[in-house]
Amino acid sequence: MQQLADSLLQTGFLQGVPTEAGYALVIAFFAFVLLNFIMLIAGVTSWLERRVWARIQSRVGPNRVGPQGVIQWLADGIKNIMKEDIVPAEADRPLFKAAPYLAMMGFFATFAVIPFGDGLVVADLNVGVLYITAVTALVVVGILMAGWASNNKWALLGGIRSAAQIISYEIPAGIAVITVVLFTGSLSMQTIIRAQGWAPWDWFLFANPFLCIASFIFFVSALAEGNRTPFDLPEAESELVAGAFTEYSGLRNLLFFLVEWGNLYVIGALYTTMFLGGWQIPPITEQPVIQGALQFATFFAKSYFLVFVAMWIRGTLPRVRVDQLMTLCWKYLVPITFANLIGAMIWFVLFPNGLAIMRFAMFALGVAVTIYFFSRILFHLRRARPRLRLNPIS
Amino acid sequence: MNFDLANVLVFLLLGAITAGLMLGLGWLLRPSNPEPKKLTTYECGEPPSGSAWINFNIRFYLIALVFVIFDVEVAFVYPVAVAFRQFVLDGRGLVAFLELFVFVGILFAGLIYVWAKRDLEWLKRVGQPG
């Protein structure tokens, strides 16, 4: 990003502007662009999620505002801005008001290191992955603060549950990230992507069995850290009203949900970076702009597919209980990730340059699993069709 | 590097500024009719019984304590994991592996201890042995 700023200062339309002012302009410009991107992503995800669940549950979903309801999220936002803001008299006012700010800060800061393309990253920090785990912890503080400051029993339970859940699942997620770091020797997001290739068999997902296991563990832990079903205990509607956000109304409530929907995309982007080869595409054109756009499209498609998978899981699975949640983390995921880390180290010492046969075998296995999965779906669709024709009402 | 750090700072502030702007816009537009009944704490429509700032369950403390130990461990493994690749490429992979193995092994023993003490059980009854 600094090279871009420098080249703009020397030859581009920022010529003649003082260096610091030029830098500030470039930073402000990209911050503005990404702000719009984040808002758009969070909003469209909220609409798409409702449409996808509706489809899964044989409903229609929001389809009135705009074609197919695409700007439903804008209508919801305007409605929430016009809503009265209620702070309970018993609540701790400053903490109650500060909580959404903390959650938003932790969420926005992650976007500074997400690599959308070859040079398309705001700040390619050399501690990239560690930085993301650090700033996402701010969201926990926000939720815990919201739960405590509300002075409400539901909110308190939701807040401390959320804190316990998120910190527990940070252990398997962190160790799964370490498994990737072992093979790249760097924490920088761009270096992790460059260590992979554009072809699926060059992705870390298929590089060896240990990374494949780590990828699944990371996805499950990330879902738990993002408070997604089947781990959405902090806001379990059926038992805790709205969890930590019970006392929040209107816009403040919306900010927390904005963070949740946006975090879905962050999960997808992190997973894509570490296991799915990020923005890597074969060199198609000489034009840097077109190449960059294609890289962005690749990265976006991969990460948004994972967002879709998360919606799909939410529409399919029931919520787990608190004790099941803790058992899953501490008695299954943590020991498995430790063993997996040891296994990955042994593998790396034995084959420092990777094993091409294993790579292709893993890829073939992945293709076979995908084909089997879709054949099952086709089978059930074919079986369901005659029944539907006989009895259209059911 | 300073450029990158400036960017990170801007993004940290950007979240707070965005929230502030949205709430400020709302403050200009939204109605405000406070009323004692409206400002009570929600407790399923009943009058709230007492404060919610109570002593909550000790299990959350136990989880947090175990978490602190393991998170410090994860933080210590990060730099070793970064250096691991260079060690392997230099042909000293076995040394690095044994070092990390001993470190992770001790922590794994700690996990087994916590497990055996039944501190990982969510439903731990009072007076239970362990």
Side-chain angles (χ1 to χ4, degrees), chain A residues 1-2 23 27 31 34-35 39 81-90 92 101 104-105 108-109 112 122-126 130-131 148 151-154 156 160-161 164 167-168 171 174-175 177-178 181-185 187 241 246-247 251-252 255 322-323 326 330-331 334-335 338 342 345-346 348-349 352, chain B residues 1 3-8 10-16 18-20 22-23 25-26 29-34 38-44 48-54 56-57 60 63-64 66-67 70-71 73-74 77-78 81-82 84-85 88-89 93-94 97 100-101 104 107-108 111 115 120-123:
Chain A
M1 193 55 78
Q2 192 162 15
Y23 280 174
I27 291 176
L34 260 175
L35 168 69
M39 288 301 185
I81 285 177
M82 307 294 280
K83 282 272 179 185
E84 186 178 350
D85 182 43
I86 300 169
V87 181
E90 297 285 308
D92 186 334
Y101 287 91
M104 285 287 275
M105 274 168 83
F108 267 67
V122 172
D124 183 23
L125 295 183
N126 52 6
L130 194 59
Y131 166 80
W148 180 258
N151 197 356
N152 178 319
K153 280 121 193 165
W154 305 120
L156 177 74
I160 52 177
R161 259 193 199 184
I167 63 175
S168 296
I171 308 290
I175 298 175
V177 170
I178 285 176
V181 171
L182 273 185
F183 288 89
T184 57
L187 292 167
V241 188
T246 304
E247 288 294 352
L251 197 51
R252 285 181 211 279
L255 289 179
V322 186
D323 61 325
M326 289 298 159
W330 289 106
K331 295 193 179 170
V334 170
F338 270 123
I342 304 277
M345 283 195 291
I346 294 174
F348 194 40
V349 172
Chain B
M1 199 63 211
F3 187 78
D4 286 348
L5 291 180
N7 263 313
V8 167
V10 165
F11 268 82
L12 267 174
L13 292 178
L14 190 66
T18 312
M22 283 170 79
L23 287 170
L25 184 67
L29 294 174
R30 68 192 167 214
S32 176
N33 308 311
K38 202 189 267 177
L39 297 180
T40 52
T41 306
Y42 174 75
E43 214 167 290
C44 303
S49 61
S51 163
W53 291 329
I54 48 177
F56 52 80
N57 204 312
F60 292 105
I63 291 288
V66 178
F67 159 75
F70 277 87
D71 207 41
E73 175 260 339
V74 170
V77 172
Y78 265 107
V82 172
F84 193 77
R85 183 184 165 83
V88 171
L89 295 184
L94 207 59
F97 168 70
L100 209 50
F101 184 77
V104 172
L107 262 143
F108 202 74
L111 181 69
W115 197 330
L120 297 184
E121 311 276 337
W122 194 254
L123 299 172

